[in-house]
Amino acid sequence: QVQLVESGGGVVQPGRSLRLSCAASGFTLSTYSMHWVRQAPGKGLEWVAIISYDGTNKFYADSVKGRFTISRDSSKNTLYLQMNSLRTDDTAVYYCARARPYDFWSFDFWGQGTLVTVSS
Amino acid sequence: QSALTQPASVSGSPGQPITISCTGTSNDVGGSNYVSWYQQHPGKAPKLMIYDVTNRPSGVSDRFSGSKSGNTASLTISGLQAEDEADYYCGSYTSSFTLYVFGSGTTVTVL
């Protein structure tokens, strides 16, 4: 069955970097568009980034543009989110989510999330 | 890009219907067929309930239905049940630079 497992979260100081991973199983990552979505503590959902199914297109929310990079390793069937120049308002649970087939913009499977805390 | 506007809370008795609204603009809800609804129980990941405005994924109860009129999308839960108590978020593709925006979220309480 489809499963997404995030890892790499933790406590980091402002200005530092962190890389999140999302290991996929039950499907081939490179045939689906994939997203990162985050949720600050007690707050709503915020879309972060998308990588298209063929890996050629990557788009970001304005709040992370220029600081975060989405990528994937097809050989490991794993999605990544490289987060640089972290700020306190990046503190959130980060979810990876799979887009429905042929539909970039609805998310049919989600991971359990990994918590990133940016604090000095 | 501001979040789409949802009521903070909606409540109903078991068996009653409720409707949650999601109001945006012509740049997002009003101009997009990519409107989805997600259910989130406390401490859990969101779950897709409706996609492309009106479509229900396999395995989702037919008590859940979606619709849209102008710049407002709606999620209706007919025959409210205890397990429906959760937070609900709408989401839409947007032609703005942000590309995708979620709603502010609605807490559904079963009385």
Side-chain angles (χ1 to χ4, degrees), chain A residues 25-100:
Chain A
S25 58
F27 72 102
T28 301
L29 199 66
S30 59
T31 60
Y32 289 83
S33 295
M34 295 294 296
H35 297 259
W36 286 97
V37 175
R38 68 183 181 183
Q39 186 170 34
K43 303 297 185 182
L45 301 171
E46 180 187 13
W47 176 77
V48 173
I50 178 178
I51 182 168
S52 61
Y53 66 95
D54 58 5
T56 58
N57 292 297
K58 303 175 184 180
F59 298 102
Y60 302 90
D62 287 346
S63 57
V64 307
K65 203 171 294 182
R67 300 187 300 122
F68 290 13
T69 302
I70 188 171
S71 64
R72 70 183 185 203
D73 185 332
S74 298
S75 67
K76 296 181 179 179
N77 217 34
T78 299
L79 178 74
Y80 300 102
L81 185 67
Q82 177 66 43
M83 305 185 295
N84 298 333
S85 303
L86 282 161
R87 310 186 305 218
T88 55
D89 61 357
D90 293 319
T91 293
V93 173
Y94 284 75
Y95 296 99
C96 62
R98 190 184 82 168
R100 288 187 61 257

Side-chain angles (χ1 to χ4, degrees), chain B residues 3-4 8 12 16 24 31 47 51 53 56 64 70 75-76 80 91 96 99 111:
Chain B
L4 306 175
Q16 283 189 329
K47 174 186 177 183
Y51 67 92
V53 181
R56 202 170 41 248
F64 291 85
L75 174 71
T76 297
L80 200 60
S96 74
L99 291 184
L111 301 173

